[in-house]
Amino acid sequence: MERRLAAILAADVVDYTRIMGTDETETLRRMTELRQETLEPLIVKNHGRVVKVIGDGLLVEFVSVVDALTCAVAWQRTVMAHEAEVDDDKRLSFRIGINLGDVIVEDDDIHGDGVNVAARLESLAEPDGIWVSGDVFRYAKGKVEADFDDMGEHYLKNVAEPVRIFRVARGRSGSGAGSTRKSPLRRAEHPSIAVLPFDNMSGDPEQDYFSDGITEDIITELSRFRSLFVLARNSSFAFRGQQIDIAEIARRLSVQYVVEGSVRKAGNRVRITAQLIDSASGAHLWAERYDRELEDVFAVQDDVVRTVVAAVAGQVEAAGTQLAKRKPPQNLVAYDYVLRGLEQLRLVGEEHNADAQRLFKKAVNLDPQYAAGHAYLALAIYVQWNHNQDPGELERALASARRALELDENDSRCHRILVPIYTHMHQYDLAELHSDKSIALNPNDALGAIYRAILFRYVGRAEEGVEWARKAMQLNPYHPNWYKTVLAHVLHTAGRYAEALEAYSQITERPSFYHAYVAACHAELGNMDEAQKNAALALQVRPDFSIAAQGKKLPFKNEADLQSFLAGLRNARLPE
């Protein structure tokens, strides 16, 4: 096996799939012409070798970093000039990443971390941009007419150590000195967050283990949320004890959000504070204080970590949604489209669901490899199916969910959305398999917990479903109205009718079958006057209500469980 040091350039066309959709033949002609007549001669001129062409992307090897960067700068200038007269929605533009690293040579191909880092840098770059690793910067500065923005250290996917990154500055003529400037905090496609060491306020240095333990657990658990980029412990702990402004720490770490807090132990009690800060504005997005008895210190630690993590993840998503809403549509990236889509999906009504699907489709068209975009598109289609019961919609939802899983089997969301889909397709083993994986990948995900409650209701484990529904509500204290509906359903199915009635009474946005189910609970408790009153209300809301139609919609695994549930509706004298 041959190894060698090489400068690797990875380049990819921005939004190529979308541009191809506008005029496939013309786009392919322009792309082929640009590559053959302009880019490949430029690569040869700078002593490079095209390793392979991957769809709309190229992987190029150079012996010299200077040659690679010189080629990249000329590449971007040439392409921008070539496409200057083309309409914006059809213009071809490239992202380029360059790394210096060890590669494994296999025939004419190359592999290894050196290639992987170049590809990750390319994916971070903006359209017409060039991002390079610190090694490239060190060897090229002063030798190539370019200035650089220092983007700080980043943790790249599947790369163990952080990589120092520099961006080739556009719009300034280089002096050849390779000058650098600190870049303002970059808002990444996914929110980035650092958890600073919680301060030990107990006055006892021996208690540092407890505050450090809480910090490390928060980092670990936040890392389970694939929608967040969470800085590793060794980076955030580097600032322990230093009197540095939060904004400066965030800039040095290149993160958008910072979590900080303190721990004070006194006697048999502990007080823990935590707050989430938007580093760009300095605004405190969320703060909370936890007072606990220290009967079991590790149980306290687990409890606080779980609640902090769930709250922080929710607040970061909410802040991102507000930011996306303020962006002009033409400036949105795939992640922002997903945030906007989720906001629409939370609203009740077919028009909102249609908007959500449109936004999720924009996300996956912009980035076909975006697993979460496909997962949320599947969820929106599944919600639509819940309204119209069109079998074709359920198959469409399954196809999108499977595509999401193919793209990222380690994202809990991709497993989570398969749970209700497989449940309603009566494939209970698969539903439980993906529920298990979803919970294992992210035990702090409230949606994973509530979907598990729904599954357990239908597979004869309603008592366990009650516990999972309550856990979901604890993980997301600001849960939407439908969580209450799920809790009411699992209590109802478990035969805990009085508790179910209490849960039904908490529902503010009532589904069309609400009064029918309330009537059934009253009938099971022998409250026939209330049962009849609610049965009449049910028929006012849904004159076409029938027990048979309800039975067809409820995917109970066991016929006995289905008939037991429907018996309550019959006892309330609702129409068959």
Side-chain angles (χ1 to χ4, degrees), residues 415-432:
H415 292 281
R416 180 221 294 157
I417 183 52
L418 282 164
V419 177
I421 294 173
Y422 277 132
T423 299
H424 280 92
M425 298 181 91
H426 302 277
Q427 297 187 43
Y428 306 105
D429 289 345
L430 283 172
E432 192 158 349

Side-chain angles (χ1 to χ4, degrees), residues 177-400:
S179 61
T180 64
R181 66 172 187 175
K182 287 291 183 181
S183 172
L185 183 66
R186 175 178 183 265
R187 291 193 179 267
E189 282 200 5
H190 294 283
S192 51
I193 188 166
V195 184
L196 300 183
F198 276 40
D199 293 329
N200 173 18
M201 307 293 287
S202 304
D204 180 2
E206 292 187 3
Q207 297 300 326
D208 283 346
Y209 83 92
F210 185 67
S211 54
D212 286 357
I214 284 180
T215 308
E216 291 172 10
D217 283 352
I218 290 173
I219 291 171
T220 299
E221 296 305 314
L222 276 175
S223 298
R224 295 177 183 268
F225 288 86
R226 302 281 280 197
S227 57
L228 300 176
F229 177 84
V230 185
L231 216 59
R233 176 195 188 280
N234 60 336
S235 295
S236 56
F237 270 64
F239 294 92
R240 181 202 290 277
Q242 299 185 34
Q243 299 300 312
I244 303 176
D245 181 71
I246 289 291
E248 175 62 17
I249 292 175
R251 189 194 62 75
R252 292 190 192 182
L253 295 174
S254 293
V255 294
Q256 186 175 351
Y257 299 100
V258 172
V259 176
E260 65 171 3
S262 65
V263 178
R264 183 187 299 276
K265 289 174 69 177
N268 65 342
R269 292 190 65 80
V270 61
R271 171 172 290 180
I272 300 168
T273 63
Q275 54 188 350
L276 174 68
I277 301 166
D278 183 336
S279 58
S281 65
H284 288 60
L285 301 179
W286 168 85
E288 191 59 83
R289 185 179 73 191
Y290 305 91
D291 288 301
R292 297 288 191 275
E293 295 286 344
L294 271 176
E295 294 174 358
D296 184 342
V297 66
F298 297 111
V300 170
Q301 183 170 323
D302 290 345
D303 179 30
V304 171
V305 167
R306 186 168 53 248
T307 52
V308 169
V309 166
V312 167
Q315 290 296 321
V316 168
E317 182 178 283
T321 301
Q322 292 304 312
L323 180 66
K325 287 167 67 177
R326 294 195 294 270
K327 291 183 180 180
Q330 65 269 22
N331 294 336
L332 291 179
V333 294
Y335 178 72
D336 293 310
Y337 277 124
V338 164
L339 288 177
R340 286 189 172 191
L342 285 171
E343 182 183 41
Q344 290 299 311
L345 194 58
R346 293 185 188 107
L347 301 174
V348 177
E350 291 189 26
E351 70 280 7
H352 294 299
N353 184 280
D355 284 342
Q357 289 193 49
R358 177 179 56 80
L359 290 160
F360 295 143
K361 285 175 182 175
K362 282 181 176 287
V364 297
N365 286 337
L366 271 174
D367 185 357
Q369 306 302 306
Y370 188 12
H374 288 280
Y376 286 127
L377 177 58
L379 177 58
I381 297 169
Y382 165 75
V383 170
Q384 179 178 317
W385 170 84
N386 250 330
H387 289 291
N388 59 28
Q389 300 288 302
D390 179 351
E393 296 293 346
L394 201 55
E395 291 292 342
R396 278 184 58 217
L398 179 60
S400 287

Side-chain angles (χ1 to χ4, degrees), residues 6 17 22 55 79 198 335 362 407 412 424 441 471 500 505 510:
T17 303
T22 62
V79 170
F198 276 40
Y335 178 72
K362 282 181 176 287
L407 291 168
S412 65
H424 280 92
L441 287 166
K471 180 174 182 178
S505 73
R510 294 173 173 176

Side-chain angles (χ1 to χ4, degrees), residues 48-65:
R49 176 181 75 90
V50 176
V51 177
K52 54 188 169 186
V53 177
I54 312 166
D56 57 310
L58 290 88
L59 184 68
V60 187
E61 180 185 19
F62 295 84
V63 175
S64 161
V65 164

